[in-house]
Amino acid sequence: MKRSLNRNELKYIAIIAMLLDHIGMFFIPVTNPGGCILRVLGRLTAPIMCFFIAEGYFYTKSKKNYGLRLFVFAVISQFAYSFAHYNKWFTWDFNMIFTLFISFLVLLSYDKIKNNILKWITIFVLIVISFNGDWAIIAPLWVLVFWIFRDKPKEKFISYGIISLTVVLSSLVFMVVNGYHWYGELWQLGLFICIPLLLLYNGEKGKVSYLNKWIFYIFYPLHLVILGLINLF
């Protein structure tokens, strides 16, 4: 398989998928075929961004600045996330960048803490802390396996698949337990679409520009505010 997608191209795919997902979430019921398709495509975003947290951790010249950038934009995005989802300026349901920041701390702990017992206790605590975030628990686990198996594609995507299958099965159980149709969240199977896309990643950054560097950090809160305003009025 020819690897033909660079980092920027995958990032823009994730951004477009996120926009489609949120349009479906806010405006089109998932029972509508169009809404279902948008949610399926939207499953691309979270795993791709988690993949690039591991990549970013590897390539960054300053882990301190990388972590600080994630934290600052997590704070900024929280207001947009709360407004879009709850029509409030703040809630304790944290946004995706917050979860990515926790995932970064998970990698930092795995990489820097030498005592294995302390390392895994710290990682466990951080994953628990992510519980109030978007893609809680799942995203830190994805990031961790993307890092641990960075140079082992087979193990990396098998591990990713197992975690993703857990998401699908837990969604089915949730639907059944709460009296809904069991197939109501089968759109979560879209999580597996990202595997062939990530296999096409060629390891190259793509064109270097301020737009390509900052686009996700800016687009994430901005599109939430716009969708929140549309939903409000």
Side-chain angles (χ1 to χ4, degrees):
M1 181 184 292
K2 183 180 179 181
R3 299 186 176 186
S4 56
L5 291 175
N6 62 42
R7 202 178 312 169
N8 289 337
E9 290 165 339
L10 279 171
K11 188 185 298 182
Y12 281 101
I13 289 172
I15 288 171
I16 293 169
M18 176 173 61
L19 177 59
L20 295 176
D21 181 49
H22 289 163
I23 289 173
M25 177 192 299
F26 289 119
F27 305 116
I28 307 175
V30 75
T31 51
N32 180 296
C36 184
I37 291 171
L38 292 180
R39 300 312 305 275
V40 169
L41 294 174
R43 300 310 90 194
L44 292 172
T45 303
I48 290 176
M49 299 318 299
C50 288
F51 179 81
F52 283 120
I53 287 295
E55 285 292 291
Y57 185 87
F58 179 80
Y59 284 110
T60 186
K61 295 178 181 179
S62 172
K63 291 179 172 53
K64 178 181 177 180
N65 289 342
Y66 187 49
L68 182 60
R69 182 164 66 244
L70 284 168
F71 176 75
V72 168
F73 278 93
V75 173
I76 293 171
S77 298
Q78 185 58 31
F79 301 105
Y81 182 85
S82 299
F83 173 67
H85 286 270
Y86 302 102
N87 196 23
K88 297 179 180 179
W89 288 114
F90 181 81
T91 64
W92 292 103
D93 178 16
F94 292 116
N95 66 85
M96 182 59 180
I97 300 183
F98 169 81
T99 311
L100 294 178
F101 172 67
I102 295 296
S103 302
F104 166 81
L105 295 180
V106 166
L107 289 192
L108 196 65
S109 302
Y110 182 86
D111 188 33
K112 300 298 184 181
I113 299 176
K114 302 305 179 184
N115 183 289
N116 277 332
I117 295 176
L118 181 59
K119 174 191 297 187
W120 288 107
I121 288 175
T122 304
I123 290 171
F124 175 78
V125 170
L126 287 169
I127 290 175
V128 170
I129 291 173
S130 79
F131 187 77
N132 274 358
D134 195 14
W135 288 100
I137 300 175
I138 301 301
L141 290 176
W142 278 337
V143 171
L144 189 59
V145 299
F146 284 145
W147 176 256
I148 293 174
F149 300 118
R150 187 174 184 275
D151 298 318
K152 299 178 179 179
K154 182 179 179 181
E155 291 87 344
K156 174 166 58 182
F157 289 111
I158 287 175
S159 301
Y160 168 81
I162 291 172
I163 296 169
S164 300
L165 184 60
T166 302
V167 175
V168 175
L169 293 177
S170 62
S171 297
L172 296 182
V173 171
F174 173 83
M175 296 299 282
V176 172
V177 169
N178 287 277
Y180 301 110
H181 294 299
W182 65 270
Y183 49 80
E185 289 206 1
L186 278 181
W187 46 270
Q188 298 281 13
L189 288 169
L191 291 171
F192 294 94
I193 300 176
C194 80
I195 294 178
L197 281 176
L198 292 178
L199 285 170
L200 290 173
Y201 174 54
N202 58 19
E204 297 177 4
K205 181 183 293 186
K207 183 179 179 180
V208 177
S209 70
Y210 284 108
L211 178 63
N212 289 334
K213 179 178 180 179
W214 296 102
I215 182 65
F216 179 79
Y217 295 107
I218 296 171
F219 185 84
Y220 180 73
L222 179 61
H223 93 285
L224 286 175
V225 169
I226 292 172
L227 292 178
L229 287 171
I230 294 172
N231 199 29
L232 181 63
F233 293 107

